Amino acid sequence: MPSDVAAPVPRQEPPPTGTGATRPAPRRSGRPRRRGARGALAVVALGLVATCVLGSAPASATGPDATHPAAGGTAAIGTTGTEPRTGPRTEPRTGPNAVRGTGRGTERGRSGRAHHDVLFIGAHPDDEYASLSTFGQWRERDGLSTGVVTITRGEGGGNAAGPQEGAPLGLLREREERDAVRHAGLRDVFYLDKPDFWYTLSAPLTARVWDGPPRAADTLERLVRLVRATTPRTIVTMDPRPFDQHGAHQLAGRLAVEAFQLAADPTAFPHQITREGYRPWQPSRLLAQNWRLRGPTGPACATTEPRDPATGLPQQGVWEGAWSSRHRTTWAQQERTAAREYVSQGFGALPEKITTPREKLGCDWFSVLAEDGEPVRAPVRPQRDLRPVFAEFRAWAERVGMPWLANGAQPAYPAAPATTVPAVATPPTVDGAAGPGEYGAGEELSLTHWQGERCAAADCAASARFVRHGDDLYATVRVADDVRGAALEASDCKRHWRTDAVEFALDPRGASDDTSTTFKAAVLPFTADGGACAARDADQHQGPAATTAPGMEWAARVSQGPYSGYTVEVRIPLRLLPAPVDPAALTANVLVYDSDTADRTGQSRLAWSAYGSAQADPYVWGAAGLAGYAPPGGQPVREPVIPLEAARSRDSLPSVLQSLRTGVPLAAGPRVSR
């Protein structure tokens, strides 16, 4: 990753991009290209050939391409060239061909149409982007091809390019990803058609969405099939460690580890061998992206041999400043050009040119998890008193024979802030203004920098107060701001991190391990229609507040004349929370998102409790005891409702054509018997 770009923050919440970034008009509108009648017939014919000849799962099967009643919608789930003449060449040959040994198996790797020397396994379109400078170098310098596996199409994320969401957004993101990887010489992207949903830190929750009813539990099976089909020597994947990282990234890393181990085992998914004609295949090397490592810069970074401070594993560095003779630029610049293809993710707002001097560019870092088909060992440093999320990860790491991955997995959480929410005799009027005496009894809570650019007080500063009247929680947040963000349409009131917004997060029992059992609602203080809007996101039930939080009230007042900020006020009936409130254990967070541009990207974020993924980690939230409150009886515990809509490979012409060319069935489903 170029060293002048911060490490990626949650995928569904694109990294704040800075006010200096200029975003050009999107390169495409996201609307399907028009084709003549002959082209349309060709598409239909190609789809039929790919389905019938290549052997995608039939309609009676239970994979992503199967027909079933819950193909979309929501479901309740349980909680359970030439180098510039600047001196001698200093970049080492660090591609996967430097590995001791090669991939093992009874099928020659380069004999198949689908073969790739390297296979990257990620969760969403753009997960590979920070490694494209590496993949491009390996191809140009070492002649190694890389294929990409993308488990979902990112349907659950935001959209800085247009109004598409759900499956149409997934197909848009597929086009962006295919355009991006071509800048590094990559051709094939294999999609597994699993549903994407909102940003979570939980790999177990993600697993229940990808592989839970009504879908078949076949993500690992399909990955093993892809490894056997593509016969890579090296697999590259995402960091499986849990803290401050998207749960889908974690799970992609975990599944890649398991697929690496199982693909050579003829007893693992034996029907792939006995009925589908694949052969066991053992890749030689397994690497995991390590965005957290801050190593040396300059060409020497690729010759150092650091170890990760947490896991103790050796690291491989690939210098981003290496020169591409084909593109006549550095690979860091080529990667930046590729990144800007992800317009829907807001990456189109990244500056067009890399300005960091070449000698100060750093390396892409990868943890070496396995060599010659066997785990690379490291000392194990056990941790005690693990919270459930981290205990579950340790159990997984032990099960796959890599217990050192859990070293230091649980951070030293700082003490969370605390306040007492007082009761008031008269309910505040929700009009966007804190009237005299309405919130005076509540403690003023200062919000501090959490993520993105640090900003002056006039640009982004905020404080909040809470009070309670009866069974209703009231809050007011005052925000200082000097530049208004994008005014979204009221109908586009979602993915609040794209513009100025205030988010309220409540955990009714203070015991949640992920936000699927919490209440989270955000208020956008202004819209293109003039008023404020509110919506729930990444919680027990997402969507417009009018339908997912009946009885909630919200209002905002925006400064008149010279713009200086806004005030947001809400009433949240405690009955809306997904479980009865424990007055002594309720936890909360208040978060402010600040955007200084009109391109639907953010720059700065503040929070009352600002640590890690403050919006998504309930372990971080502060105590908000309800003085004198006794909750009414009879309130149910509500199961999470998760969006399951996913784009299908059979609806994507590029995926159909790729399937015809490579022989890999759509969504890596079963192929016809041989």
Side-chain angles (χ1 to χ4, degrees), residues 33-426:
R33 295 172 182 166
R34 299 184 63 182
R35 303 181 180 90
R38 180 177 300 176
L41 290 173
V43 172
V44 173
L46 286 171
L48 290 173
V49 170
T51 300
C52 300
V53 176
L54 296 179
S56 293
S60 60
T62 54
D65 276 39
T67 301
H68 54 66
T74 60
I77 67 171
T79 57
T80 31
T82 301
E83 181 75 15
R85 299 183 182 275
T86 56
R89 178 187 181 95
T90 55
E91 311 94 281
R93 300 176 66 85
T94 55
N97 60 340
V99 176
R100 303 185 310 274
T102 61
R104 297 192 299 274
T106 56
E107 183 172 356
R108 290 184 58 201
R110 295 184 184 275
S111 64
R113 287 183 289 159
H115 170 77
H116 286 287
D117 302 291
V118 182
L119 190 67
F120 174 81
I121 299 175
H124 322 97
D126 80 29
D127 284 347
E128 76 289 322
Y129 101 85
S131 301
L132 288 178
S133 67
T134 292
F135 300 150
Q137 288 183 64
W138 288 349
R139 179 173 181 82
E140 182 175 76
R141 190 182 63 211
D142 302 318
L144 302 176
S145 63
T146 299
V148 173
V149 181
T150 302
I151 297 174
T152 81
R153 284 181 173 81
E155 297 91 345
N159 188 351
Q164 300 89 343
E165 56 183 316
L169 175 58
L171 293 175
L172 170 61
R173 289 199 166 163
E174 175 182 347
R175 291 196 292 273
E176 291 178 346
E177 183 173 31
R178 290 186 182 277
D179 286 346
V181 302
R182 288 191 185 100
H183 289 281
L186 279 61
R187 185 179 188 185
D188 293 331
V189 186
F190 304 93
Y191 296 91
L192 301 193
D193 295 5
K194 292 296 180 175
D196 183 42
F197 62 112
W198 36 261
Y199 177 59
T200 178
L201 297 179
S202 174
L205 176 63
T206 305
R208 296 199 293 272
V209 171
W210 287 357
D211 286 332
R215 292 157 311 287
D218 63 356
T219 308
L220 179 58
E221 177 182 351
R222 289 174 183 258
L223 284 176
V224 170
R225 182 180 287 113
L226 270 173
V227 174
R228 290 169 172 171
T230 57
T231 58
R233 269 70 171 183
T234 298
I235 290 178
V236 182
T237 190
M238 311 196 77
D239 189 344
R241 292 177 289 181
F243 176 68
D244 196 18
Q245 186 184 195
H246 199 307
H249 294 173
Q250 299 172 43
L251 186 57
R254 292 193 194 191
L255 292 170
V257 169
E258 296 183 46
F260 178 90
Q261 295 175 335
L262 293 176
D265 182 356
T267 67
F269 310 111
H271 58 278
Q272 295 181 3
I273 297 167
T274 60
R275 296 200 299 268
E276 299 180 40
Y278 294 105
R279 296 181 182 179
W281 178 261
Q282 177 61 67
S284 178
R285 201 175 205 207
L286 178 62
L287 307 177
Q289 294 169 324
N290 192 350
W291 294 342
R292 311 181 199 206
L293 188 69
R294 294 293 176 262
T297 59
C301 70
T303 60
T304 60
E305 298 181 353
R307 288 186 175 263
D308 183 83
T311 65
L313 289 171
Q315 304 295 298
Q316 176 175 334
V318 181
W319 186 42
E320 298 163 332
W323 189 258
S324 169
S325 59
R326 176 181 179 184
H327 299 289
R328 305 300 302 166
T329 188
T330 64
W331 276 106
Q333 179 60 58
Q334 194 65 9
E335 182 180 275
R336 170 63 59 83
T337 302
R340 284 166 50 84
E341 298 281 7
Y342 301 103
V343 176
S344 66
Q345 278 293 79
F347 292 173
L350 290 170
E352 182 177 358
K353 299 296 183 182
I354 293 287
T355 58
T356 300
R358 183 173 180 237
E359 65 275 10
K360 293 185 178 180
L361 289 169
C363 273
D364 293 342
W365 292 106
F366 304 91
S367 295
V368 184
L369 304 188
E371 292 270 26
D372 296 328
E374 299 293 335
V376 174
R377 300 186 175 276
V380 178
R381 299 191 296 274
Q383 284 184 297
R384 294 184 176 182
D385 303 319
L386 292 180
R387 302 188 186 198
V389 164
F390 304 104
E392 187 275 339
F393 176 72
R394 181 174 64 183
W396 172 83
E398 291 173 347
R399 178 168 62 81
V400 299
M402 299 182 181
W404 41 85
L405 289 178
N407 291 348
Q410 179 171 291
Y413 280 98
T419 191
T420 298
V421 179
V424 294
T426 303

Side-chain angles (χ1 to χ4, degrees), residues 536-594:
R536 294 174 65 176
D537 179 79
D539 69 347
Q540 181 267 333
H541 193 181
Q542 315 79 50
T547 56
T548 62
M552 177 180 171
E553 296 181 52
W554 62 91
R557 290 198 180 184
V558 180
S559 63
Q560 302 299 312
Y563 177 71
S564 60
Y566 57 89
T567 300
V568 164
E569 190 175 10
V570 296
R571 175 177 77 91
I572 302 174
L574 294 173
R575 61 176 171 77
L576 295 176
L577 274 59
V581 172
D582 182 339
L586 175 71
T587 58
N589 213 347
V590 182
L591 310 108
V592 167
Y593 299 79
D594 178 62

